[in-house]
Amino acid sequence: MCGRIFVKTSLEELISNFPFAVKGGDIDGLGNRFPRWNGAPSQDYPVIIRDIVREPDTSGPMFVVARWGLMPAWAKPGGRPPPVNIRCEGISSNGMSRAAYRSRRCLVPINGFFEWKDIHGTGKNKQPYAIAMKDGSAFVLAGIWETWKDEKGVSIRNFAIVTCEPNEMMAAIHDRMPVILHREDYERWLSPEPDPYDLMKPFPAELMTMWKIGRDVGSPKNDRPEIIEEVEDDPEPTLI
């Protein structure tokens, strides 16, 4: 499961970590929304896709804007909220994900994500954690994307994050983790290869770190740097 993320830099600084990707025409509109300390589903994010129309017969990585929550073109409005995560198991056969996985994969750059540990196994008392790279660097989650048109005919690019079994560190708090890609695998994930299944595996735990944070992260309204500060205990949430 991965239902919250954080980006602790400006949009320009985040993009500078991935110089292999050019900026799409819509990306600058996100500039005033970052840093984002408590990013939630339904919000817009910068993602990297394989652009196939920049020049004739060429393709290359491009930063574009996408909304978190997968909505294929055939999906009807209303009903259940769009999925924000897609399990790697069955991703190539699931009707919601198979077309996007085959030809519309993306990179989701972040500085970290959040997860909740069910302390007593009842679902009623959960301790939130922040998870990031040990060296503090930006990294990418594996995603898939689609384009959906709303009732007014407006095209909305959207995405979901792929999840896999947890590594040793993540297993202490949850039974899933997002697929984190090594830099040498970015190009392959974005390539036309239809099924790079071996890339969807737990990221090495020794390269990662996690720490307890306060329960204010439970509300997306709380979007401030203090959200990711380490705490000894789990204080009650305070809304702003």
Side-chain angles (χ1 to χ4, degrees):
M1 183 65 181
C2 178
R4 294 288 175 80
I5 61 179
F6 65 90
V7 174
K8 60 183 182 180
T9 67
S10 67
L11 179 63
E12 285 297 327
E13 186 174 345
L14 180 69
I15 289 175
S16 71
N17 288 282
F18 307 93
F20 60 88
V22 302
K23 291 168 59 175
D26 60 350
I27 200 70
D28 287 333
L30 284 179
N32 61 356
R33 306 185 196 181
F34 290 86
R36 183 173 282 166
W37 302 98
N38 191 5
S42 79
Q43 296 174 339
D44 291 339
Y45 297 87
V47 303
I48 302 172
I49 66 171
R50 183 173 62 90
D51 170 43
I52 59 174
V53 297
R54 196 188 323 154
E55 295 179 9
D57 302 319
T58 65
S59 62
M62 174 181 284
F63 270 101
V64 296
V65 176
R67 185 165 299 170
W68 192 2
L70 194 69
M71 290 283 286
W74 48 262
K76 295 182 179 180
R80 295 181 179 179
V84 298
N85 296 149
I86 296 291
R87 296 172 67 95
C88 68
E89 302 89 347
I91 192 172
S92 62
S93 58
N94 185 317
M96 176 66 72
S97 60
R98 63 189 177 196
Y101 173 64
R102 188 183 309 117
S103 59
R104 290 182 295 278
R105 297 186 296 270
C106 64
L107 308 176
V108 185
I110 62 171
N111 287 117
F113 61 95
F114 303 114
E115 192 51 83
W116 282 257
K117 180 180 181 180
D118 191 346
I119 299 173
H120 303 299
T122 63
K124 296 181 179 180
N125 187 10
K126 295 185 178 183
Q127 170 62 56
Y129 286 78
I131 300 99
M133 291 295 108
K134 189 170 289 185
D135 64 4
S137 61
F139 58 101
V140 304
L141 308 182
I144 58 176
W145 66 278
E146 286 278 10
T147 300
W148 179 77
K149 289 187 178 181
D150 65 15
E151 61 274 8
K152 297 181 180 179
V154 177
S155 292
I156 301 173
R157 188 184 293 108
N158 56 83
F159 72 97
I161 292 168
V162 182
T163 68
C164 63
E165 293 292 317
N167 60 22
E168 300 92 330
M169 184 191 78
M170 288 295 301
I173 63 171
H174 206 272
D175 61 359
R176 303 291 293 179
M177 71 177 291
V179 172
I180 301 171
L181 295 171
H182 293 274
R183 284 188 177 265
E184 59 266 29
D185 295 325
Y186 293 174
E187 182 177 355
R188 187 175 165 212
W189 184 255
L190 293 178
S191 77
E193 181 181 343
D195 187 17
Y197 190 81
D198 60 293
L199 297 184
M200 296 182 289
K201 59 188 177 183
F203 196 77
E206 62 270 19
L207 300 179
M208 302 177 66
T209 185
M210 71 179 184
W211 61 97
K212 288 182 181 180
I213 58 173
R215 297 192 186 188
D216 286 359
V217 71
S219 171
K221 294 179 180 179
N222 297 320
D223 185 16
R224 56 188 188 273
E226 293 79 12
I227 286 292
I228 67 171
E229 290 182 357
E230 185 171 7
V231 299
E232 292 296 326
D233 299 309
D234 51 349
E236 291 299 315
T238 56
L239 297 182
I240 58 173

